[in-house]
Amino acid sequence: MPTAKLNAEPAPKIKRRVLNRDKLEAEIAAEAVRVFAECGYEGTSIATVAENAGLSKQNLMYYFPTKQALYQRVLDDVLDEWLDRMENLAAGDQEPREVLRTYVQAKLKFSREQPWASRVYAMEVISGAQLYGAQIQNRVVPLVRKDIEVFEKWISDGRIAPINATHLLFAIWAMTQSYADFSAQMALVLNRKQLTKKDFDDAEKVIVDMVLAAISVPQPVCGDAR
Amino acid sequence: MPTAKLNAEPAPKIKRRVLNRDKLEAEIAAEAVRVFAECGYEGTSIATVAENAGLSKQNLMYYFPTKQALYQRVLDDVLDEWLDRMENLAAGDQEPREVLRTYVQAKLKFSREQPWASRVYAMEVISGAQLYGAQIQNRVVPLVRKDIEVFEKWISDGRIAPINATHLLFAIWAMTQSYADFSAQMALVLNRKQLTKKDFDDAEKVIVDMVLAAISVPQPVCGDAR
DNA sequence: GTCTATAATGGGATAGAC
DNA sequence: GTCTATCCCATTATAGAC
């Protein structure tokens, strides 16, 4: 049986290996994101990640020479995925109400489909973004500022009620992300093992209602809105 | 000079020491909460906490025999402080709008004054509440359920618009807590070193506006609210 | 209660054979 | 690229003198 291998062509080998390497790195990062989310950066051992990914610790370190490199790759992937879904949502001349509804839906979808991604990112920010602050500054902040400008344009065009656009966006983020980050606590309150699709639908309705109600108030009248 | 000490009374010594011990433990926990918030559970070394608290590592372990014991004490203190501020807010027969405004204000105040407390708690929940889930179940969930019942009573009494009370509460939590947990990212967006009192005032206005607008919608009319 | 000394473990990282 | 073996360091925790 070994004789069949004698004249194997070595030509595509290199390319195949490169492709495999990219794929393997992506698989390792996909496993790592869960471990980092559950255990934190220091609580994560590369041995655990390697085991989950089905290779040896030393072999993992061939692909990611240091733990930090793996962590940065994980955060890079998280940000790539998130930006892919969020970019250009506020582009075009759609109705503000539809844009906001779509925005909330997209963020909730991310929380439901990629809870570990959201959690790793959250833990990094909560602990001061010491390792990833520069990337957030370079990649996230500009996008956020653009979204805020869109909101403010809507306000100056009289298409939505006057409201602090920055804090409105903070509020939308907070409400949608919490369904990934704090789902453990929510599940306890709702008395389930984990959140269901219906919970996310209920959440969407409440959040969209709140956001649309906030931008619909015609004016700060009556001295009622504080 | 040493002679003056010869006849020192030993009577109150025991009590003094007990009081000092309580005080010292509280001081250690107060330092620990910052370190746990910045470094995570595994990232925190008791040596660092001891240094911040001004005693030796071994001495700290006289008061807290294990790292877990210190961590649990920190979370206990966080919860005590939080429950102290939050309890009985929804009691009495005040106007729903005033109760909600006060609730939001109290939560934001906690985020501003005890950001580390909020962050330690958040990290524990994000990583699945593996160590503190039972306490959350016993001490937090009942209080939350009570708040939800108050909301639902308001709805059935026609004092506020019909809305999913559970998710409304989740939304309020998320929006207010995020000003502690994600302040690092917010500061980057706002281009400051840290959030200011004015930022919290702006946040309060937006959050209160959103909540009050959401409970003011008379009915789900027009097929507009989805 | 506070100190010195030390055990014991785990984990990140490197070296080198195959 | 994958394996075995190993180094080195940080850290939790304990023992025991004072």
Side-chain angles (χ1 to χ4, degrees), chain A residues 179-199:
Chain A
Y179 284 87
D181 303 342
F182 300 138
S183 65
Q185 183 169 249
M186 292 174 175
L188 287 179
V189 171
L190 291 166
N191 204 25
R192 328 187 193 297
K193 283 184 77 173
Q194 55 177 17
L195 299 183
T196 65
K197 176 69 165 63
K198 180 174 184 309
D199 292 325

Side-chain angles (χ1 to χ4, degrees), chain A residues 27-53:
Chain A
E27 283 176 12
I28 294 170
E31 291 297 331
V33 70
R34 302 178 195 219
V35 186
F36 279 123
E38 280 179 17
C39 309
Y41 177 76
E42 303 283 351
T44 295
S45 79
I46 51 183
T48 305
V49 175
E51 197 179 354
N52 283 22

Side-chain angles (χ1 to χ4, degrees), chain A:
Chain A
M1 304 93 95
T3 55
K5 273 187 165 178
L6 280 179
N7 284 353
E9 65 293 337
K13 250 190 176 176
I14 295 166
K15 189 149 200 182
R16 268 252 303 283
R17 275 185 183 165
V18 170
L19 286 177
N20 283 343
R21 173 162 189 144
D22 283 352
K23 199 182 162 193
L24 190 48
E25 284 184 3
E27 283 176 12
I28 294 170
E31 291 297 331
V33 70
R34 302 178 195 219
V35 186
F36 279 123
E38 280 179 17
C39 309
Y41 177 76
E42 303 283 351
T44 295
S45 79
I46 51 183
T48 305
V49 175
E51 197 179 354
N52 283 22
L55 36 66
S56 71
K57 177 175 79 167
Q58 298 86 342
N59 198 186
L60 188 152
M61 298 198 77
Y62 170 77
Y63 294 99
F64 297 97
T66 66
K67 187 178 172 178
Q68 262 207 29
L70 174 62
Y71 182 65
Q72 301 240 1
R73 166 63 184 263
V74 164
L75 284 173
D76 285 343
D77 285 1
V78 167
L79 212 47
D80 287 345
E81 174 80 11
W82 186 74
L83 291 175
D84 267 2
R85 290 164 176 248
M86 287 299 138
E87 261 174 339
N88 305 321
L89 265 187
D93 270 331
Q94 295 176 299
E95 267 303 295
R97 297 168 73 89
E98 277 314 305
V99 174
L100 283 171
R101 184 194 303 277
T102 307
Y103 194 93
V104 169
Q105 286 171 341
K107 284 230 57 168
L108 274 176
K109 190 159 182 269
F110 186 74
S111 287
R112 187 164 56 87
E113 294 177 354
Q114 312 265 343
W116 301 283
S118 183
R119 287 174 201 150
V120 171
Y121 187 83
M123 293 186 91
E124 172 65 16
V125 173
I126 289 174
S127 54
Q130 293 169 353
L131 263 151
Y132 213 65
Q135 289 295 314
I136 293 176
Q137 181 80 279
N138 293 334
R139 300 184 65 195
V140 179
V141 169
L143 192 77
V144 176
R145 294 238 175 87
K146 213 188 68 186
D147 287 345
I148 292 173
E149 279 171 23
V150 172
F151 286 5
E152 287 173 344
K153 180 98 177 21
W154 287 343
I155 294 172
S156 63
D157 289 350
R159 300 178 73 187
I160 64 172
I163 189 171
N164 187 312
T166 304
H167 290 277
L168 173 63
L169 196 60
F170 288 168
I172 294 173
W173 278 2
M175 289 189 286
T176 52
Q177 253 192 253
S178 67
Y179 284 87
D181 303 342
F182 300 138
S183 65
Q185 183 169 249
M186 292 174 175
L188 287 179
V189 171
L190 291 166
N191 204 25
R192 328 187 193 297
K193 283 184 77 173
Q194 55 177 17
L195 299 183
T196 65
K197 176 69 165 63
K198 180 174 184 309
D199 292 325
F200 278 87
D201 290 341
D202 291 343
E204 182 189 317
K205 171 148 178 40
V206 169
I207 296 169
V208 169
D209 277 358
M210 290 181 74
V211 172
L212 296 191
I215 64 166
S216 299
V217 182
Q219 289 282 345
V221 206
C222 312
D224 200 320
R226 199 246 161 110

